[in-house]
Amino acid sequence: MQQNTSKYLIIGATGKTGARVYNKLAGQGLNVKGASRHGEVYFDWRSPETWGASLVDIDAVYLTYYPDLAIPEAPEDIAKFCALAKIKGVKHITLLSGRGEPAAKVCEELVQTSGLSWTVVRASWFNQNFSEGMFRDFIDAGTIALPVGAVTEPFIDVADICDVVVASLLNSKHNGKLYEVTGPELLSFKQLADIFTQVLHRSVNFRQISQNEFVSQMQSDGVDSQTIEMLTYLFTEVLDGRNEYIVDGVEQALGRPAKRFTEFVVDNLQAFSGGSQ
Ligand SMILES: NC(=O)c1ccc[n+]([C@@H]2O[C@H](COP(=O)([O-])OP(=O)(O)OC[C@H]3O[C@@H](n4cnc5c(N)ncnc54)[C@H](OP(=O)(O)O)[C@@H]3O)[C@@H](O)[C@H]2O)c1
């Protein structure tokens, strides 16, 4: 078999998907570099002068943007990044995008028309927001308190997203494909709380709070204003029912179904062991 000598760059390599994609490629003995503010290679979206050095001698990039492709700066940043990648000789970009966000779609189109080979992975909300993201403390505290009602979301396991991303970086059959990836079931936040209660054998409740209460809580937790603005947008606009459908992007890309939320909780019991019994 021909040896894979490609060089891969992971932007956001310390994040939920970035770290897993990095480890999967490195685990196969491939040549991979991780970039972010606290990673192997210093890269800051807010300082474009840091981007060029990370792109030297790179063939393919896994591109995650932070905090979200919906922020006003994103289209300009993505356009600049793609142009620079092209100049530096990059051949392929796999972009992580979010569902139901018109602004993210603009960024997807910038990658798709960049002149580089591309794959777009457009994902629903991550299960891992509850194990390693900002909803983690809710599970320890025993109450998921969010400004959301009965709306459902097809939460996805980042392991599934990463398998699609890795496949796209290793096999050219995924070039020019947009994979919309979701979990296999639509779940409300109340249903999520019920699953946690059942699997963890301790009570996890759901409480709907007002947007004002949510913002005050985040401010007192020291969350920065850009993140608060982004979450407000996600809860008030994106989580309005527009994403209440399941799609089979994981199956299309990998030929197997996506993981269920219950499996995620069972597989991550260690992450939830800190809560009150
Ligand atoms: N979470 C979800 O449910 C979800 C769903 C769909 C799509 N997405 C998309 O996934 C992406 C990642 O979101 P996430 O919230 O889950 O975060 P994450 O990937 O877990 O973590 C953020 C990553 O970005 C890096 N980062 C933060 N600020 C940066 C900066 N100024 N410059 C360069 N790198 C920076 C962080 O590393 P350092 O701290 O080392 O810089 C970290 O590696 C976003 O574009 C989001 O829209 C998320």
Side-chain angles (χ1 to χ4, degrees):
M1 209 166 98
Q2 211 184 343
Q3 205 192 344
N4 179 352
T5 55
S6 294
K7 297 189 179 85
Y8 300 92
L9 175 70
I10 313 301
I11 304 286
T14 54
K16 294 181 209 64
T17 64
R20 287 170 170 87
V21 170
Y22 180 99
N23 289 335
K24 276 185 173 262
L25 295 177
Q28 293 187 35
L30 298 173
N31 193 329
V32 57
K33 273 199 306 189
S36 72
R37 295 162 312 162
H38 306 98
E40 200 177 2
V41 178
Y42 187 79
F43 180 102
D44 187 346
W45 282 113
R46 305 284 78 81
S47 308
E49 68 279 7
T50 64
W51 306 354
S54 69
L55 287 163
V56 174
D57 207 18
I58 292 296
D59 297 297
V61 176
Y62 173 45
L63 180 56
T64 69
Y65 188 73
Y66 196 84
D68 197 285
L69 291 173
I71 69 166
E73 297 89 334
E76 196 183 329
D77 284 348
I78 297 297
K80 268 198 211 158
F81 181 87
C82 289
L84 190 59
K86 204 171 167 191
I87 291 168
K88 298 279 185 185
V90 170
K91 296 176 194 73
H92 179 90
I93 292 183
T94 293
L95 174 72
L96 175 65
S97 183
R99 287 176 95 211
E101 299 181 18
K105 231 171 166 181
V106 172
C107 296
E108 292 173 4
E109 282 160 14
L110 287 167
V111 173
Q112 289 165 328
T113 57
S114 64
L116 297 166
S117 155
W118 59 268
T119 306
V120 172
V121 180
R122 188 192 283 163
S124 53
W125 288 35
F126 304 166
N127 295 348
Q128 276 75 1
N129 293 330
F130 291 93
S131 55
E132 49 200 85
M134 57 187 317
F135 303 153
R136 170 79 184 78
D137 292 348
F138 288 148
I139 309 307
D140 277 356
T143 303
I144 300 173
L146 288 169
V148 63
V151 70
T152 58
E153 167 71 18
F155 289 86
I156 185 164
D157 199 291
V158 300
D160 286 333
I161 299 174
C162 293
D163 284 350
V164 175
V165 169
V166 168
S168 76
L169 295 171
L170 298 184
N171 192 327
S172 59
K173 77 175 186 187
H174 302 291
N175 293 355
K177 300 265 172 67
L178 187 159
Y179 294 115
E180 186 161 343
V181 294
T182 72
E185 56 206 328
L186 286 168
L187 295 166
S188 67
F189 284 80
K190 161 85 175 76
Q191 287 172 310
L192 295 182
D194 292 345
I195 292 173
F196 278 114
T197 300
Q198 214 175 8
V199 179
L200 302 182
H201 304 294
R202 65 182 161 87
S203 175
V204 178
N205 304 303
F206 169 70
R207 186 164 69 87
Q208 180 174 4
I209 58 174
S210 70
Q211 189 59 36
N212 284 345
E213 199 181 333
F214 182 57
V215 170
S216 307
Q217 185 58 52
M218 283 191 292
Q219 282 167 337
S220 65
D221 290 345
V223 178
D224 64 88
S225 57
Q226 192 183 45
T227 305
I228 294 178
E229 207 175 301
M230 193 261 299
L231 285 168
T232 300
Y233 163 73
L234 291 175
F235 278 106
T236 55
E237 292 188 45
V238 180
L239 215 53
D240 64 354
R242 72 183 72 173
N243 287 337
E244 285 189 303
Y245 61 95
I246 290 161
V247 279
D248 66 347
V250 172
E251 184 95 46
Q252 280 173 37
L254 305 174
R256 61 147 178 93
K259 247 176 149 178
R260 299 177 80 83
F261 194 82
T262 305
E263 258 181 278
F264 153 73
V265 183
V266 170
D267 290 350
N268 287 277
L269 288 179
Q270 194 63 29
F272 304 117
S273 59
S276 52
Q277 299 296 309

